[in-house]
Amino acid sequence: MARRPRPSGPSSPDQTLSPQHLLTLVRSTIPPIHPAGRPFITAGLAVAAVGYRCRSLRTAGLLAAGACAGFFRHPRRVPPARPGVIVAPADGVICVVDTAAPPAELSMGAAALPRVSIFLSIWDAHVQRAPVSGEVIAVQHRPGRFGSADLASASTDNERTSVRIRTTGGAEVVAVQIAGLVARRIVCDAHVGDKLSIGDSYGLIRFGSRLDTYLPPGAEPLVLVGQRALAGETVLAELP
């Protein structure tokens, strides 16, 4: 009678996962954390450590640290290989596809440009990524309200930071980080003169927000309202 082959895999008694394999498995399963989230996670762990004798305090600290780790996750993304595309700068739901004048502080004139808006809930990854490859030619911050980011008025009334990027072909794309009802701080690491590659992370908004992307004249949006977008991967439009 033929013998059954011995199973090959981690469950086989002859094979065990080495520490290096375990570390690789963890890194491939759990996304890294954005540096902006480390103080919040540390604070939650500190509460848990201080209250280690108090079950409720320890639990609250660990839950807070875990929630912050989830919120500030920085998942790996792979931008499209084909040239000439504009990708979503943020995770979330497409809430607006229309035309509008870009933020006045950028001094780009009042002509309406194609615009795609993405609403980020607290469950979405909040790292922002460059929609195109190019040079940052302007970064402007404008104080404002902290109204609900899913309202149309958020684009004009809420606090925002605008990043204007010019591609090597001369096309310009603007990504606007907009604070929301719970968001109280916009983090933007892009500076004038920086060279960004499509999909590079450049900032973050804390706890619920909105991202407006202004496309070059003639660009046709390829997404619909209600569609989910992944930062650095979902194609919003093609460069004209």
Side-chain angles (χ1 to χ4, degrees):
M1 182 175 180
R3 295 178 62 185
R4 293 176 179 266
R6 175 175 288 181
S8 60
S11 59
S12 172
D14 293 339
Q15 295 185 5
T16 58
L17 285 175
S18 67
Q20 291 80 5
H21 288 158
L22 283 173
L23 183 60
T24 301
L25 180 61
V26 170
R27 285 178 173 173
S28 63
T29 305
I30 302 175
I33 304 300
H34 191 279
R38 292 171 186 167
F40 295 90
I41 298 170
T42 301
L45 294 176
V47 170
V50 171
Y52 72 97
R53 291 184 177 178
C54 176
R55 182 177 180 181
S56 58
L57 190 59
R58 183 176 68 248
T59 301
L62 291 175
L63 288 176
C68 288
F71 178 84
F72 287 102
R73 66 191 183 278
H74 190 179
R76 181 176 177 268
R77 296 289 164 76
V78 181
R82 74 180 190 272
V85 297
I86 304 169
V87 298
D91 286 15
V93 175
I94 307 294
C95 60
V96 172
V97 178
D98 65 357
T99 59
E105 59 269 22
L106 291 175
S107 301
M108 296 177 63
L113 298 174
R115 179 179 64 174
V116 177
S117 299
I118 300 173
F119 175 72
L120 295 78
S121 74
I122 61 172
W123 310 112
D124 292 308
H126 272 57
V127 175
Q128 276 79 64
R129 300 174 187 267
V132 290
S133 297
E135 180 181 358
V136 177
I137 61 172
V139 178
Q140 293 288 339
H141 177 78
R142 199 209 72 165
R145 297 175 56 245
F146 294 98
S148 179
D150 60 347
L151 298 177
S153 58
S155 292
T156 54
D157 297 342
N158 284 18
E159 181 166 334
R160 64 186 182 229
T161 296
S162 304
V163 177
R164 184 178 175 186
I165 304 171
R166 180 178 292 158
T167 69
T168 54
E172 294 184 3
V173 177
V174 175
V176 186
Q177 298 168 289
I178 302 173
L181 185 64
V182 184
R184 293 294 166 176
R185 181 153 187 250
I186 296 173
V187 178
C188 181
D189 297 322
H191 302 89
V192 174
D194 287 353
K195 301 294 179 60
L196 298 177
S197 295
I198 187 170
D200 282 353
S201 59
Y202 74 89
L204 177 142
I205 315 175
R206 293 178 184 165
F207 309 118
S209 49
R210 177 182 179 129
L211 237 295
D212 286 355
T213 306
Y214 293 84
L215 311 175
E220 293 289 339
L222 301 176
V223 291
L224 301 173
V225 172
Q227 178 180 336
R228 284 204 61 84
L230 287 180
E233 293 188 355
T234 300
V235 175
L236 298 184
E238 295 184 352
L239 291 169

